[in-house]
Amino acid sequence: MQIDEGLMVFVSSEEFSDSPLVFWEYVTNNTKYRTIWIVFSEDTRNELERRGIACILVSNGAAVTNILQTAKYVIMDGRMPLLRQCVEGQVVVQTSAMYGFTSDLFMTDLKVMDAHRFHKYNSAYSNIFTASSYLGKANSVASYAYDARKVYVTGVPRCDAMHTEDGRALLLSQFPELAKYKKIIGFFPAAKDLLGLGPKISAGYESNIFNMDDFSQSELESFLEENGIAIVFKMHPFDEYRFRNKQFPFPAAIPKHCYVMHSKTFFGKTLYHILNAFDCLISDFSGIVYEYLLLNRPIIFIHNELHMLMKLEREFFIKDENVVFPGKKVLEFPELLAAIDESLRKPSAYLDERIYTRNIMHRYFDGENCERLLNLMETYDTDTPAENIDYEMYSHNLLKEVGNLASERDELLHVKGCLADERDDLLQVRDSLVVERRNLQHERDGLQQVNSNLLDERNGLLHDRDNLQHAKDNLLCERDGLMHERSVLIDDLSALKDINNAIQSSRSYRFTKKIVSITIPVGSCRRKFVGKIFHVLRKTANK
């Protein structure tokens, strides 16, 4: 059959979801490729047809085979190996996302998943596997026996949705009552049934969604009410199917201010479209936390079930739990409430750990993973044959090499821990200096206040001095006035003496009688009086 260069076929295990959906959105919005979805249920087909999206049921065997053999590109999510033979000129893409630090997750435990089946249907019949980082590439090869040459670090397409979508608006479209809350927290646990833990822990979920023995619904409701917080709970799709079909018990009562979200709540959107709506994330050991790291927001890890994972002999590439779990780790319910309070009040807590782990788990942070993948697909050389490799031996050797590198990293992390301790000591010294500086500032402020008071007192004294000087000037003026009056009185007294002498020497009785009869005035009339005296004297003398 001839390859249709303009046709892309999409298929995802959760039907119209995950990375294939996000990549399909990019393709339909930015290219002219024709697309068609392979779906598994009539409900999904009917809904896609209602939206005008081309699709076909997987049960239409001949038609599906024809599409898979003629499409230039086939995009899957890494869990749906539909191809049974290679088609010349075709590019098959597995948009897988190997997160977490667990090794030998599928390769050494065939009870969980047959690694040879993955090797046969995925590695042999696929051209491209996406990875978020070089550690993710190594994990893919070690755990799934993928051909390392086919794993490309392009970033995982579904992560782009966190950069392009308004998650808060999308969340409120289905849960409008969430608008009244100050903060919204997402709780997304790992797949327990996939790891064989479902039957062991399912009974715990019957009492509460956190599966905690010391859980108190009343305390949770009061805490959420007082702080204006809502929790949105979503089970992993693998477990959700079991709970939805009542194979596992579901909590009898959902606490107030808690909301349950299902995979079908946002048909046509993935969890990654709304992930940026949450101010904090709660999980256990789910890989979603490593994608949430791209938002650089607080993460809380509930570890009450981690011991069950360890019993399955799951090991970690990196031993430092602060790197594997970059956030607050809790075991008991009171610790969980305290961790929520701390994370929302101090979102910068564990910032260094989050950034460090993010840089290990992701090569790109720009939200352009779909563009990189499309460029890779369109330039991929399908004519270059791949040499035969013993993938199982290759993966075991790679796993061993990764383990050695992990040991070296652990040593470096130990050195980092020592440096962190030294940094803490320096920070403590700095804090002491800050306290001392604060005390000195208080003393300086006290001295400045004293100085200000002294200035006020000095200004008051200067004001008093000015008043006294003014009073002194007034007294001097009064003294000058009195001196002038004294001088005048002396002059008057001299004149009176002269008059008295004149009276004594006068022979005229009439003159004497007239003079004596004159009443001596005071004040400003003295000069007139004296003048009058002299006038009388002259007149008398003439007579």
Side-chain angles (χ1 to χ4, degrees):
M1 288 187 180
Q2 186 176 359
I3 292 294
D4 185 343
E5 298 289 337
L7 178 61
M8 283 191 184
V9 175
F10 293 82
V11 58
S12 62
S13 57
E14 294 303 314
E15 289 200 273
F16 201 59
S17 184
D18 213 82
S19 280
L21 171 59
V22 177
F23 186 65
W24 173 80
E25 289 178 334
Y26 177 82
V27 169
T28 55
N29 291 330
N30 296 279
T31 73
K32 295 182 179 181
Y33 286 106
R34 291 182 297 105
T35 64
I36 186 168
W37 278 87
I38 299 176
V39 296
F40 305 93
S41 68
E42 292 186 0
D43 290 342
T44 302
R45 181 198 60 184
N46 294 338
E47 179 61 26
L48 292 183
E49 289 180 347
R50 187 185 70 81
R51 300 186 182 198
I53 299 173
C55 61
I56 186 172
L57 276 173
V58 72
S59 57
N60 295 336
V64 171
T65 299
N66 180 68
I67 290 174
L68 290 175
Q69 290 181 348
T70 58
K72 173 63 176 180
Y73 304 103
V74 179
I75 295 90
M76 305 181 185
D77 64 2
R79 294 192 295 262
M80 293 303 302
L82 294 179
L83 301 179
R84 296 297 182 269
Q85 61 182 359
C86 295
V87 177
E88 185 178 355
Q90 188 177 66
V91 178
V92 179
V93 181
Q94 300 284 359
T95 55
S96 54
M98 281 300 296
Y99 291 118
F101 296 96
T102 53
S103 64
D104 68 350
L105 183 57
F106 300 109
M107 192 63 190
T108 61
D109 191 347
L110 300 184
K111 293 181 181 179
V112 177
M113 189 169 292
D114 188 348
H116 295 285
R117 177 166 57 88
F118 260 77
H119 160 65
K120 180 179 179 181
Y121 291 125
N122 278 7
S123 190
Y125 299 136
S126 298
N127 305 100
I128 297 173
F129 295 89
T130 61
S132 63
S133 66
Y134 295 105
L135 177 63
K137 175 176 181 176
N139 205 351
S140 297
V141 175
S143 297
Y144 286 103
Y146 290 165
D147 184 346
R149 298 164 302 172
K150 297 181 178 181
V151 181
Y152 294 86
V153 182
T154 61
V156 180
R158 66 190 185 192
C159 291
D160 286 359
M162 292 188 289
H163 297 273
T164 59
E165 195 77 22
D166 184 350
R168 183 64 64 100
L170 185 58
L171 186 64
L172 293 180
S173 68
Q174 295 297 322
F175 300 96
E177 58 271 30
L178 290 176
K180 65 182 180 181
Y181 294 97
K182 299 177 182 177
K183 300 290 183 179
I184 304 177
I185 296 177
F187 174 40
F188 309 117
K192 307 303 190 305
D193 189 42
L194 177 66
L195 300 176
L197 298 176
K200 298 179 183 179
I201 66 173
S202 60
Y205 284 109
E206 190 171 8
S207 62
N208 65 89
I209 59 177
F210 298 109
N211 192 24
M212 286 184 159
D213 295 335
D214 57 348
F215 172 78
S216 171
Q217 182 166 326
S218 61
E219 289 184 18
L220 176 65
E221 292 176 345
S222 297
F223 173 80
L224 298 178
E225 175 74 26
E226 292 173 2
N227 294 279
I229 299 173
I231 294 179
V232 176
F233 168 66
K234 185 185 183 303
M235 199 169 295
H236 191 281
F238 290 158
D239 291 345
E240 183 181 323
Y241 174 81
R242 298 275 193 175
F243 279 87
R244 194 167 56 241
N245 290 277
K246 301 185 184 304
Q247 294 174 325
F248 292 166
F250 197 76
I254 301 299
K256 296 178 182 178
H257 314 296
C258 293
Y259 301 84
V260 178
M261 183 171 63
H262 302 288
S263 295
K264 299 298 182 181
T265 300
F266 299 96
F267 185 86
K269 297 293 182 181
T270 71
L271 176 59
Y272 304 91
H273 286 86
I274 65 169
L275 204 56
N276 60 21
F278 302 104
D279 301 285
C280 176
L281 188 70
I282 302 175
S283 188
D284 38 29
F285 39 86
S286 173
I288 194 173
V289 300
Y290 302 113
E291 291 165 312
Y292 191 73
L293 285 173
L294 291 171
L295 300 174
N296 197 15
R297 298 178 186 176
I299 303 172
I300 301 172
F301 295 89
I302 299 178
H303 276 179
N304 59 331
E305 298 168 357
L306 187 61
H307 65 284
M308 294 186 181
L309 181 66
M310 297 298 100
K311 287 182 179 180
L312 295 179
E313 298 181 354
R314 300 290 187 259
E315 296 185 1
F316 294 97
F317 284 127
I318 297 177
K319 306 302 181 183
D320 190 340
E321 66 172 12
N322 290 325
V323 178
V324 182
F325 304 109
K328 185 69 174 180
K329 294 163 277 293
V330 301
L331 290 172
E332 299 177 349
F333 181 68
E335 292 179 317
L336 175 61
L337 297 185
I340 293 175
D341 180 65
E342 179 186 2
S343 297
L344 296 180
R345 285 190 301 102
K346 298 173 58 179
S348 61
Y350 294 93
L351 176 63
D352 292 342
E353 289 83 352
R354 291 201 302 267
I355 293 177
Y356 184 78
T357 303
R358 182 201 66 182
N359 293 343
I360 293 176
M361 297 307 302
H362 296 278
R363 174 65 179 85
Y364 302 103
F365 319 125
D366 53 10
E368 298 178 358
N369 301 334
C370 292
E371 180 180 351
R372 271 186 293 275
L373 176 57
L374 181 61
N375 291 336
L376 174 63
M377 291 165 52
E378 292 179 333
T379 58
Y380 187 83
D381 184 7
T382 59
D383 296 329
T384 302
E387 62 178 288
N388 293 325
I389 294 179
D390 186 342
Y391 298 112
E392 185 171 358
M393 181 61 66
Y394 183 86
S395 64
H396 278 299
N397 292 337
L398 182 61
L399 178 61
K400 183 177 179 180
E401 182 179 351
V402 170
N404 294 334
L405 292 175
S407 297
E408 294 180 11
R409 182 178 295 275
D410 290 341
E411 294 178 2
L412 293 175
L413 290 174
H414 176 70
V415 173
K416 177 192 172 186
C418 295
L419 293 175
D421 292 338
E422 293 182 10
R423 183 193 64 181
D424 293 340
D425 293 339
L426 292 174
L427 289 175
Q428 187 175 2
V429 173
R430 185 198 65 181
D431 293 340
S432 299
L433 293 175
V434 168
V435 173
E436 184 176 351
R437 183 185 66 180
R438 189 180 299 114
N439 294 334
L440 291 174
Q441 287 176 341
H442 290 326
E443 293 181 11
R444 184 195 65 185
D445 294 340
L447 292 174
Q448 289 178 344
Q449 183 63 40
V450 171
N451 183 51
S452 177
N453 295 336
L454 291 174
L455 288 175
D456 292 339
E457 292 180 10
R458 174 178 173 272
N459 293 332
L461 292 173
L462 291 175
H463 181 69
D464 293 342
R465 187 195 68 180
D466 294 339
N467 292 336
L468 291 174
Q469 184 66 39
H470 182 67
K472 175 185 174 184
D473 294 340
N474 292 335
L475 291 173
L476 290 175
C477 289
E478 291 182 9
R479 187 194 69 178
D480 294 341
L482 293 173
M483 291 294 291
H484 178 70
E485 288 187 11
R486 177 176 175 274
S487 177
V488 171
L489 289 174
I490 290 173
D491 293 340
D492 291 345
L493 180 60
S494 176
L496 289 174
K497 287 181 179 181
D498 293 339
I499 292 171
N500 184 54
N501 294 332
I503 291 173
Q504 293 297 326
S505 62
S506 177
R507 297 176 182 179
S508 174
Y509 172 79
R510 289 174 56 191
F511 173 76
T512 303
K513 183 177 179 180
K514 186 177 290 187
I515 293 299
V516 172
S517 66
I518 296 173
T519 302
I520 298 176
V522 295
S524 62
C525 296
R526 287 193 183 98
R527 290 189 179 276
K528 293 181 180 181
F529 165 71
V530 173
K532 190 174 182 181
I533 292 296
F534 282 107
H535 176 72
V536 173
L537 290 175
R538 284 195 298 269
K539 187 175 181 182
T540 302
N542 293 331
K543 290 181 179 182

